[in-house]
Structure formats: structure tokens, C-alpha cells
């Protein structure tokens, strides 16, 4: 199983979209990391090289854009 971490920010509509989908599918085992926490914010920038959320890491590799994230997660559910 892939390691999935979703970096998000409260009140961001794109983050809410990705987070809601992941929350509805606990079998995906997504770890949620709020960038309000300074350590998570620092990790977001270190991993992806930019200050942009939502960011999903898949085995440590960053993925952006809520639509792409949801599409990826839907594909993971099919496996």
C-alpha cells in the first residue's frame, strides 16, 4: 500500500474538496497534515518546493491540484 499524506489548510475550498473525498474513504489510509502546524508547513515547502495546498504526497512524491488528487484517489480505490 502506498504512503499517502495530504497537506491542507482550513477554509481553502480546494483543500476541503480533496480532504472530504479522502475522509469518505478511510480505507485509503490518508494521513492529514494541517499546515497551520509549523512543522507541517515546513515539510510542505521542503518536499514540494512551493507553498501550495492541497498537496498529496504519494510515497514522498508531491502531487497538486484538488481535481488531480481526487482522480488519483479514485484510481487507488479501484486497486
Amino acid at each position: 500500500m502506498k504512503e499517502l499524506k495530504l497537506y491542507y489548510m482550513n477554509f481553502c475550498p480546494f483543500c476541503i474538496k480533496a480532504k472530504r473525498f479522502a475522509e469518505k474513504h478511510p480505507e485509503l489510509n490518508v494521513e492529514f497534515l494541517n499546515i497551520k502546524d509549523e512543522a507541517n508547513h515546513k515539510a510542505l515547502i521542503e518536499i514540494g518546493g512551493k507553498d501550495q495546498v492541497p498537496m498529496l504526497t504519494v510515497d514522498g512524491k508531491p502531487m497538486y491540484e484538488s481535481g488531480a488528487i481526487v482522480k488519483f484517489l479514485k484510481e487507488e480505490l479501484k486497486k
Side-chain angles (χ1 to χ4, degrees):
M1 180 158 250
K2 293 182 173 119
E3 180 186 66
L4 304 173
K5 295 182 180 184
L6 181 66
Y7 292 80
Y8 72 95
M9 177 175 63
N10 291 334
F11 309 111
C12 163
F14 303 106
C15 295
I16 291 168
K17 175 183 173 180
K19 190 170 183 270
R20 278 189 185 155
F21 183 86
E23 287 174 334
K24 287 181 184 178
H25 300 282
E27 65 273 25
L28 290 168
N29 295 314
V30 176
E31 181 180 354
F32 300 102
L33 300 162
N34 190 333
I35 66 163
K36 183 177 180 182
D37 179 297
E38 190 175 321
N40 293 339
H41 188 237
K42 183 178 177 185
L44 168 84
I45 295 168
E46 286 178 0
I47 293 166
K50 54 186 170 179
D51 193 4
Q52 179 181 334
V53 287
M55 178 181 80
L56 178 72
T57 60
V58 181
D59 293 333
K61 296 178 183 168
M63 172 185 295
Y64 299 94
E65 305 300 330
S66 59
I69 291 169
V70 170
K71 182 178 177 182
F72 171 81
L73 295 175
K74 284 181 181 178
E75 290 299 317
E76 285 298 300
L77 287 171
K78 294 178 185 178
K79 295 181 180 179

